[in-house]
Amino acid sequence: RMSLDTIDKTIQNAQTQLTLYAAFAIVAMIVTSLLFLYRTVHKPVRGLMQGTREISAGNLEYKIPIHSQDELGILADSFNKMTISLKSVMEENQRWSQELEKRVEEKTEQLKKIHEQILQIEKMASLGKLSATVAHELNNPLEGILTYSKLIIKQLRKNLESEDTRKQINEELEVIIRETERCGNIVKNLLLFSKKQTGEFTLAPLKEIVSKSLQLVQHHFRIANIKVKEIYENENMMVLCDANQLEQALIALFVNSAEAMPDGGTITIETFCEPDKNKTYIRITDTGIGISAEDLPHIFEPFYTTKKSGKGVGLGLSVVYGIIERHGGTISAVSTIGRGTSITITLPTCREHEKQNDGTSPSKKGI
Ligand SMILES: Nc1ncnc2c1ncn2[C@@H]1O[C@H](COP(=O)(O)OP(=O)(O)OP(=O)(O)O)[C@@H](O)[C@H]1O
Ligand SMILES: [Mg+2]
């Protein structure tokens, strides 16, 4: 006879065993599911992620391994196909950009050639114009020289004793000298005009340059009863320039002003700086006859003059223009007939004289 206790125990044992089996079965199921998930989902997704990384790093050769025919397998397959078409599109793009580059190069080359041709044509045209004007300009004084020389020969043959003849010959010789000088001037200015290279550019004190140029025309100003006013915003201003050429330009401007004030007047020279624009200005203002609106646009052209034949060649301002241009600067004029003219030179530096320890040489730092 089995006691109730034994039955109870047996039932309890069986229950414990059942629970254990159930627990084991659940764990086994979880592990199997996890393994299944790892194989079928995690691995292919990781593969896809790796593929994305490779492609974004530019490796279009990369292929995602396909392990299954399920959705993820299909996804990986389309991913691979996408990579292939991406690669071909990119190759096509590259080919196009190379082609484009080649065409741009070709066109640039063509443009360069055309530009050179235009420059050559321009050069020929201005050379032709220049030759014609020079020929004309030189022809006048040369004709004078020739006529007067012939005249002198004739007079010499006749009679040298007469005081009158001697006086006449003297006058004629003076004309010859004057005209020869004019020819010389034309040639000198022309040489200067065509000279492209400049001397050395150094940082020079602007006030000194202006004073030196003024000194050279002082005599001229005194005779013509012209007062000079100098206004320096800063006496220590320095400009990067070929000082000789800048002086020459200023002298040409002073002479023009003097010629515009035959009955005297005032010439004002102002220098000032705009540090934020890195610009230095030299302004020359006179109280002369002024320039008409028709003449104003032409005054910087070579051989443009309103002065009587023999008085002006018309090269002064074109030489000045060339000098300022070579300095990387600009020149402009404003004028009112009967009141005066103001010429402004702009130079592309704005620097102050910095005394060094020895107190002599200016600083050239920062240019
Ligand atoms: N300060 C000025 N006042 C009035 N007119 C001027 C002034 N500066 C220049 N001009 C005008 O501009 C023209 C051209 O000047 P530019 O200095 O080039 O030649 P020019 O003085 O006539 O001759 P050159 O200087 O060769 O002896 C002058 O003929 C004159 O009409
Ligand atoms: Mg002049």
Side-chain angles (χ1 to χ4, degrees):
R1 241 185 88 190
M2 269 205 277
S3 72
L4 260 176
D5 268 0
T6 322
I7 292 168
D8 270 353
K9 219 172 181 177
T10 314
I11 289 171
Q12 213 178 356
N13 273 349
Q15 255 175 357
T16 316
Q17 237 169 25
L18 200 69
T19 318
L20 272 176
Y21 282 145
F24 179 76
I26 288 167
V27 169
M29 243 164 70
I30 289 172
V31 169
T32 323
S33 322
L34 279 178
L35 268 175
F36 179 75
L37 273 176
Y38 177 79
R39 271 192 61 85
T40 56
V41 179
H42 178 75
K43 236 173 128 187
V45 167
R46 217 177 49 182
L48 276 169
M49 266 164 66
Q50 173 71 12
T52 319
R53 248 183 255 125
E54 290 284 341
I55 285 162
S56 62
N59 180 12
L60 291 179
E61 301 293 337
Y62 189 80
K63 291 269 169 304
I64 298 169
I66 300 168
H67 299 293
S68 60
Q69 293 304 315
D70 57 8
E71 282 86 347
L72 284 172
I74 293 165
L75 190 63
D77 187 43
S78 12
F79 198 93
N80 285 343
K81 280 187 186 133
M82 185 193 76
T83 319
I84 291 166
S85 41
L86 198 64
K87 200 175 147 206
S88 80
V89 167
M90 277 182 86
E91 276 167 1
E92 178 84 349
N93 260 353
Q94 213 170 0
R95 225 181 21 253
W96 264 107
S97 84
Q98 272 167 1
E99 174 77 5
L100 215 63
E101 237 168 68
K102 215 176 83 196
R103 284 199 202 166
V104 167
E105 251 169 44
E106 277 169 16
K107 287 282 165 213
T108 314
E109 194 59 31
Q110 268 177 17
L111 269 178
K112 220 169 103 190
K113 277 207 187 107
I114 291 171
H115 186 65
E116 272 165 19
Q117 280 168 357
I118 290 175
L119 274 185
Q120 189 59 23
I121 290 167
E122 260 177 14
K123 223 155 109 191
M124 293 307 287
S126 57
L127 202 68
K129 204 170 145 192
L130 197 70
S131 321
T133 333
V134 172
H136 176 76
E137 286 296 320
L138 284 178
N139 206 33
N140 285 345
L142 285 175
E143 228 157 59
I145 292 168
L146 195 69
T147 314
Y148 281 101
S149 305
K150 280 181 185 162
L151 210 68
I152 290 172
I153 291 173
K154 239 188 233 167
Q155 283 160 337
L156 280 178
R157 261 198 228 119
K158 272 194 214 152
N159 185 3
L160 241 190
E161 297 309 307
S162 129
E163 186 59 31
D164 266 3
T165 320
R166 210 175 294 177
K167 220 174 121 199
Q168 218 179 337
I169 288 177
N170 218 33
E171 273 168 21
E172 285 158 7
L173 278 173
E174 258 161 30
V175 174
I176 289 175
I177 289 170
R178 216 171 46 233
E179 295 297 88
T180 313
E181 275 173 357
R182 208 175 127 206
C183 287
N185 260 338
I186 294 172
V187 173
K188 204 173 70 201
N189 276 326
L190 258 181
L191 283 177
L192 223 106
F193 180 66
S194 62
K195 204 169 101 184
K196 277 283 166 261
Q197 72 272 51
T198 39
E200 214 180 304
F201 275 49
T202 51
L203 207 54
L206 181 58
K207 191 184 171 203
E208 238 170 68
I209 291 173
V210 175
S211 307
K212 210 167 144 200
S213 323
L214 274 174
Q215 246 167 34
L216 291 168
V217 284
Q218 218 178 33
H219 179 67
H220 213 101
F221 283 170
R222 208 170 315 126
I223 292 173
N225 197 20
I226 291 165
K227 266 205 308 201
V228 180
K229 246 203 256 173
E230 289 169 76
I231 305 169
Y232 300 100
E233 182 194 63
N234 179 341
E235 305 227 331
N236 298 323
M237 252 188 271
M238 307 288 287
V239 279
L240 189 62
C241 66
D242 177 336
N244 279 333
Q245 290 220 339
L246 195 55
E247 276 161 24
Q248 196 200 325
L250 292 178
I251 289 167
L253 296 177
F254 294 156
V255 169
N256 275 351
S257 285
E259 284 170 351
M261 300 187 283
D263 305 320
T266 308
I267 180 163
T268 310
I269 302 109
E270 290 166 85
T271 65
F272 51 96
C273 216
E274 266 187 330
D276 48 331
K277 287 191 187 158
N278 200 27
K279 282 190 159 78
T280 295
Y281 299 87
I282 310 166
R283 180 166 295 154
I284 294 163
T285 309
D286 62 49
T287 54
I289 53 170
I291 305 166
S292 74
E294 298 96 77
D295 289 326
L296 198 60
H298 304 288
I299 57 169
F300 295 107
E301 288 171 12
F303 299 111
Y304 194 85
T305 182
T306 56
K307 288 163 195 169
K308 269 196 237 111
S309 131
K311 273 222 104 186
V313 178
L315 277 177
L317 283 183
S318 54
V319 169
V320 175
Y321 188 90
I323 290 173
I324 301 306
E325 203 178 42
R326 262 170 265 144
H327 279 76
T330 55
I331 183 164
S332 62
V334 286
S335 186
T336 314
I337 276 281
R339 298 197 112 198
T341 304
S342 189
I343 307 264
T344 307
I345 292 174
T346 311
L347 293 171
T349 29
C350 176
R351 227 157 277 275
E352 211 184 305
H353 179 90
E354 289 168 30
K355 284 233 159 73
Q356 297 202 322
N357 288 346
D358 59 10
T360 50
S361 59
S363 163
K364 288 188 182 180
K365 261 183 277 156
I367 28 164

